[in-house]
Amino acid sequence: MARISIFGIGYVGVVAAGCLAKDGHTVIAVDVDPGKIDAINSGLSPIVENGLDDLIKEVVSAGRLSATDDVAYAVENTDASFICVGTPSAPDGSVGLKFVEIVCQNIGEALANKESFHSVIIRSTIVPGSCEGTCIPTLEKASGKTAGTEFGIGYYPEFLRESTAIEDYYDPGLIVFGAMDDGTRAILTELNENLNCKIHMVDLRTAEMVKYTSNTWRAVKVTFANEIGNIAKSCGLDGQEVMEILCSDDKVNISPYFMRPGFAFGGSCLPKDVRALRHLAAEKDTPAPLLNAVLDANEAQIVKAQSMIVAAKAKNVSMIGVSFKPGTDDMRESPLAELAARLIKDGINVEIYDPFVHEAYANDNSTAGRGNDVIPDLKQRLNPDLSAVIDGSDMIVVGNIYKDTLPQLDAAIAAKPMVDLTRISRARASGGGYDGICW
């Protein structure tokens, strides 16, 4: 079994820490946020994710997971360090490596005083060339050692989906990593060899590119489906029916999950990764017209939803869902949050039903409202009573589907108008007081 330190107790870091510890490895989680550290050491998850509360409690109780802010201690007492910090977009749209660089600096300084071999494995999403251009030089300068010989280097991207992260961890659709040395390659092989998925061992740049290709492909598919849905609706056709027929052709390896006309994409990966890959293409003087169109089209979908709601002249709107997808409290670049903020700016009163975001606030999680930078009074607008939210509104806007709300929402259509951004029922199509964004 391996001893692993994980830098960054965010979404990827805490899920990886819990699952690795469950598999029998000894894990030390490292962060600068005392709230996250205290949560882990108390056996609590700092984020809302299906099954994670019980998992963290189990592995902390077993003594296989602990948290600290002491970098030197974590490096000295483990064989490998995973870097799982965020890479938010820089002002010019390029990938933001500030947090990755800081962690590499800190780990490098700790490596300078460590005699035994140690592997540094980046899991943060970074564009091709980042390991070689930023991470390795920073580590080598801080440690005074040479990458690949005196310490190990690897890039090991994650493909976890929020709300199903633990399931995805144990039943992955893709495993890929790059490594400069045999020691790092052996550690990553050991962690993955018992999973029912082919392991792709590649160079660092290829692994970095696979991650961006995966995220950007999903972003492209969402935008493509929305455009087809919009065109279909303008012709009096059902956009979802059109795309369902297209997706029945499973010979071209298209996932129907993303090929579903609806609202804009958001979250911690797709928006910033499209921006970063588009910026990289420009730096390389490589035309990328589709990438240039993706974010414009995504913005147009938010504008379309806003226009549909404003045109109805509703003064009080109930929004069902505000996180970027159902099953998580993550607000990072949520198009629903952006839509709510625009409606508020238009003078519309917005009340929000989102059980996962509300749960994070109710539990006083240190990360409650994580990623929200557009709705300053979000906590006050949340209401856990669906009936009260619906009754107090002139219009219902459905952004996320929560299965237990469907009967009540379906019944509410007879009483007040609804703009549906996700489709509560295949039996519903635009007409009367109901308006689907793409159908």
Side-chain angles (χ1 to χ4, degrees), residues 34-47:
K36 293 179 180 180
I37 295 170
D38 291 344
I40 292 290
N41 288 331
S42 298
L44 303 173
S45 170
I47 66 168

Side-chain angles (χ1 to χ4, degrees), residues 193-399:
E193 61 187 355
N194 293 323
L195 297 173
N196 185 29
C197 186
K198 180 181 178 180
I199 298 175
H200 300 270
M201 297 186 193
V202 295
D203 59 90
L204 295 174
R205 284 175 175 251
T206 298
E208 291 167 328
M209 189 63 191
V210 168
K211 173 61 175 176
Y212 266 97
T213 302
S214 174
N215 281 1
T216 302
W217 174 228
R218 279 179 280 161
V220 168
K221 289 190 286 185
V222 172
T223 300
F224 175 74
N226 284 340
E227 185 167 334
I228 293 299
N230 292 338
I231 296 170
K233 183 182 177 181
S234 72
C235 298
L237 303 174
D238 188 326
Q240 288 195 353
E241 182 179 9
V242 171
M243 293 306 301
E244 284 171 0
I245 293 171
L246 180 68
C247 290
S248 67
D249 178 7
D250 57 7
K251 293 183 180 180
V252 294
N253 196 27
I254 297 176
S255 169
Y257 180 85
F258 293 97
M259 302 296 281
R260 185 176 185 273
F263 195 41
F265 61 80
S268 61
C269 296
L270 304 192
K272 75 177 182 63
D273 291 349
V274 174
R275 284 194 296 267
L277 199 58
R278 183 177 64 173
H279 186 274
L280 180 66
E283 282 187 332
K284 300 295 185 182
D285 198 27
T286 301
L290 180 58
L291 292 181
N292 291 333
V294 168
L295 293 175
D296 291 341
N298 204 52
E299 164 64 17
Q301 202 72 354
I302 300 175
V303 170
K304 180 179 181 181
Q306 180 184 3
S307 300
M308 292 168 68
I309 298 164
V310 171
K313 301 187 184 303
K315 297 298 181 184
N316 298 287
V317 169
S318 59
M319 284 193 66
I320 311 305
V322 73
S323 60
F324 90 94
K325 64 180 287 189
T328 179
D329 67 324
D330 197 339
M331 300 281 293
R332 286 176 288 182
E333 298 207 41
S334 167
L336 291 173
E338 178 62 27
L339 176 61
R342 295 183 188 189
L343 295 177
I344 294 167
K345 189 175 181 179
D346 288 333
I348 298 173
N349 179 52
V350 177
E351 191 169 25
I352 300 166
Y353 175 86
D354 191 311
F356 292 89
V357 176
H358 179 269
E359 180 184 348
Y361 277 109
N363 292 341
D364 289 326
N365 286 4
S366 63
T367 54
R370 59 195 173 111
N372 170 48
D373 56 2
V374 293
I375 309 176
D377 54 351
L378 173 62
K379 183 177 181 180
Q380 288 69 41
R381 292 181 182 275
L382 290 167
N383 189 336
D385 187 341
L386 178 61
S387 296
V389 172
I390 292 174
D391 292 342
S393 68
D394 306 319
M395 168 178 278
I396 304 166
V397 177
V398 183

Side-chain angles (χ1 to χ4, degrees), residues 58 69 72 91 94 163 181 215 274 288 323 348 362:
E58 174 190 338
D69 61 359
S94 63
S163 80
D181 55 279
N215 281 1
V274 174
S323 60
I348 298 173

